[in-house]
Amino acid sequence: MKILFIISNLANGGAERVLSTLCDEFSKMGDTCEILYFEQNSGYYEYKATLTHLPLYEKKGILAKFSKFWRINKAIKKSNSKAVISMLDQTNINVLISTFFTPKSVIISEHTDERALKSRFWRAMRRLLYPRAKALVVLNESEKNYYNFCKNAKVIYNPLNADFLSHRIPVNKENIVLCVGRLESVKNYEFYLKSLALISPDLRKNWRFIIAGDGSQKERLLALNNELKIGAEFIGHAKNTKELYAKASILALPSKSESFGNVLAECISFYCARISTPTAGASELITHAKDGIIASELEFAKALEQLMRDESLRASLAKNALRRLADFEPAKIALKYKELILS
């Protein structure tokens, strides 16, 4: 069976990592994959798929805006695939418009919080067009409830590759609180740094606060870090996060919103105690006080300080979280997609 995935950009994001893992699993099942992308290929991930570049956005103007639908439709027909799976909101909308007058059924998938789409126009188009999809894949029950206007919404988690699934004996753990994510407003690092400033300085001096990621807020956050005298370490984008997880005792995710929060799953096998703000993703991946901590912004600093002080609590939360690893096995996730395709 041939599967066509459609995505706007092949960058270094979570959706691209999921796509890479899915292509690998479908390949193991004997299926073939093609990826149709519209913008750039960063080369960050490897894909067991044929890569087809359709440069939709190089030309400007009204004609280019409308001709893109014909070009997408033509590319889909040329692919001659059994299934079409589109990824991320505006791409989903463009693909559904492009296939409006053709019998090709499309599975669409969302990898971000529904509130991330701000434009009233695009939100209206989403409400109008999403019900036309054969199925909608979301990452948590909260999102599924929001998309109750879609006829076939399914919760399917992001898969983890083998590197993040093997249980590891927790050795050489250091007093490190780790954050991994883009330096953008949605990740809420300004709040995070201000929360660190509320933690006892005597405790704080015995810990390292590492933030792995790049983004448009970097200079602003560096200035705030210096102003508050936190001493957080901004190490830029980390290609090998496994080494960071292996050393860190705590994984913190202070985001304003997360549909899933890949880092909350990735760090489990490395015995990191997890703490997050109350996002939809955190509610899906953490059972509060059992295998992680979910703390409001008002309680975040206090909860993090408690976690830093209590080694036995960290060990208990990390051990309990191991039970969730089976939920993210790539073969299981790919099979759920395949069942959706064949349904």
Side-chain angles (χ1 to χ4, degrees), residues 4-8 36 38 54 56-57 68-70 72-73 76 83-102 104-109 122 129-130 132-133:
L4 175 65
F5 289 96
I6 305 179
I7 190 168
S8 183
L36 179 67
F38 306 142
L54 182 65
L56 289 184
Y57 304 117
K68 70 182 178 184
F69 303 122
W70 174 81
I72 294 171
N73 183 279
I76 291 173
V84 176
I85 300 177
S86 174
M87 306 182 81
L88 302 174
D89 44 37
Q90 291 190 23
T91 301
N92 293 339
I93 292 168
N94 285 330
V95 171
L96 289 171
I97 292 173
S98 301
T99 58
F100 199 91
F101 296 108
T102 62
K104 180 67 72 174
S105 58
V106 177
I107 295 171
I108 56 176
S109 62
W122 284 105
L129 291 167
Y130 271 29
R132 295 196 66 253

Side-chain angles (χ1 to χ4, degrees), residues 173-180 192 207-210 244-245 247-253 267 270-276 300 303-310 314 317:
K173 282 291 185 182
E174 301 177 18
N175 284 355
I176 293 174
V177 181
L178 174 66
C179 292
V180 179
Y192 176 64
W207 284 75
R208 295 171 64 194
F209 304 95
I210 297 178
L244 295 172
Y245 293 140
K247 292 181 180 180
S249 293
I250 299 171
L251 185 286
L253 188 64
C267 72
F270 296 87
Y271 286 80
C272 296
R274 303 174 297 165
I275 180 171
S276 175
F300 193 87
L304 179 56
E305 180 165 345
Q306 181 187 7
L307 204 52
M308 291 164 64
R309 291 186 183 278
D310 194 336
R314 297 198 302 270
L317 295 175

Side-chain angles (χ1 to χ4, degrees), residues 254-275:
S255 300
K256 295 176 182 177
S257 66
E258 291 283 353
S259 189
F260 192 70
N262 286 327
V263 295
L264 293 177
E266 289 175 353
C267 72
I268 290 176
S269 68
F270 296 87
Y271 286 80
C272 296
R274 303 174 297 165
I275 180 171

